[in-house]
Amino acid sequence: FTDGHPRNEPENSIYYARYREGHFERADGLRIAAVDALPFDPALTDQVYGGVTQGRAWIWDIADGQDGHPRIVFTRHPEETDHRYMFARWTGTEWFVTELCAGGRWFPETPEGREEREPHYSGGIVLDHSDPNVVYLSREQNGGFNIERWTTLDGGETWRSESITSDSGVLNVRPFVVRSRPDNSTGLLWMRGRYTHYTKFETAILMQK
């Protein structure tokens, strides 16, 4: 979770806590508070990423790895025109956090002469929950936004990427991976088309088989 919306929180950070058997706890299992003792102070949770020194952030997805430890993907925004895709993993003793790549600016197509209403709307990043060594993201390139698949075999230390789309001047954004999908399907969905605002768009939902 975060402090709030990055529009309103210039130092928006990323925090982690989990609910288990009637109480909330940190990633290392340290109990924070029981349900009947709510609310608790967010400062008692894990701070995965601090927005004070590195720029405001926004959470995107979370999944457990095969080791049972959480993995998180999020964006950080040093500037509203500079969205960075981030990956975090609980190692069992600490949070490992790394940057995957620059994502570009916001994806809505701002009308000429207008100020963008949603400058923190990134192209999108999501974990494959069946294998969170795999990440799908959308970043600005070739005059539009394109989907890429990123894979790590060492817990996020190094990554290999491949392009899923390569359309010039078109928005391919907001990837999502269907859960409990058939084994012969990637389950990857994304939005393609023209998008100005969530009240004005001409888009379709595409699926990779």
Side-chain angles (χ1 to χ4, degrees):
F1 63 95
T2 65
D3 296 294
H5 195 295
R7 178 195 300 114
N8 306 320
E9 303 292 341
E11 299 175 351
N12 217 32
S13 299
I14 302 292
Y15 306 90
Y16 173 84
R18 67 180 173 224
Y19 172 80
R20 179 172 292 176
E21 298 179 353
H23 66 273
F24 289 88
E25 64 184 28
R26 293 165 45 133
D28 62 3
L30 180 66
R31 292 196 177 195
I32 299 169
V35 171
D36 58 7
L38 297 178
F40 60 77
D41 184 347
L44 298 175
T45 68
D46 292 331
Q47 186 181 81
V48 179
Y49 167 89
V52 175
T53 58
Q54 302 179 71
R56 69 190 77 183
W58 213 358
I59 187 72
W60 273 87
D61 198 11
I62 181 170
D64 284 340
Q66 293 182 345
D67 56 7
H69 296 157
R71 299 184 177 207
I72 302 172
V73 286
F74 61 97
T75 52
R76 71 180 184 95
H77 304 249
E79 303 289 342
E80 290 182 338
T81 55
D82 183 13
H83 298 197
R84 302 297 179 105
Y85 289 124
M86 307 292 293
F87 172 88
R89 176 177 64 88
W90 176 251
T91 67
T93 57
E94 62 182 356
W95 285 98
F96 167 80
V97 181
T98 188
E99 179 177 309
L100 275 69
C101 64
R105 55 185 290 168
W106 59 78
F107 83 84
E109 299 164 308
T110 312
E112 186 175 354
R114 300 281 188 89
E115 181 178 353
E116 176 54 47
R117 290 180 283 179
E118 301 292 351
H120 304 103
Y121 277 17
S122 306
I125 182 169
V126 68
L127 293 157
D128 182 342
H129 283 236
S130 66
D131 181 6
N133 290 315
V134 176
V135 170
Y136 292 94
L137 58 86
S138 168
R139 61 173 173 162
E140 188 177 20
Q141 56 185 210
N142 300 329
F145 278 75
N146 283 298
I147 305 294
E148 296 177 349
R149 184 180 193 265
W150 286 61
T151 305
T152 181
L153 299 176
D154 52 16
E157 295 282 354
T158 60
W159 294 84
R160 177 175 56 85
S161 66
E162 58 182 306
S163 295
I164 302 297
T165 68
S166 57
D167 301 327
S168 297
V170 176
L171 296 178
N172 294 281
V173 296
R174 298 298 174 91
F176 180 81
V177 181
V178 177
R179 304 181 194 181
S180 302
R181 65 184 186 272
D183 292 338
N184 62 351
S185 170
T186 65
L188 175 64
L189 306 174
W190 71 92
M191 185 171 71
R192 182 180 188 275
R194 314 300 303 186
Y195 184 106
T196 302
H197 191 250
Y198 60 77
T199 61
K200 185 179 180 180
F201 55 90
E202 296 179 3
T203 59
I205 302 300
L206 275 63
M207 179 181 72
Q208 184 188 53
K209 294 182 178 180

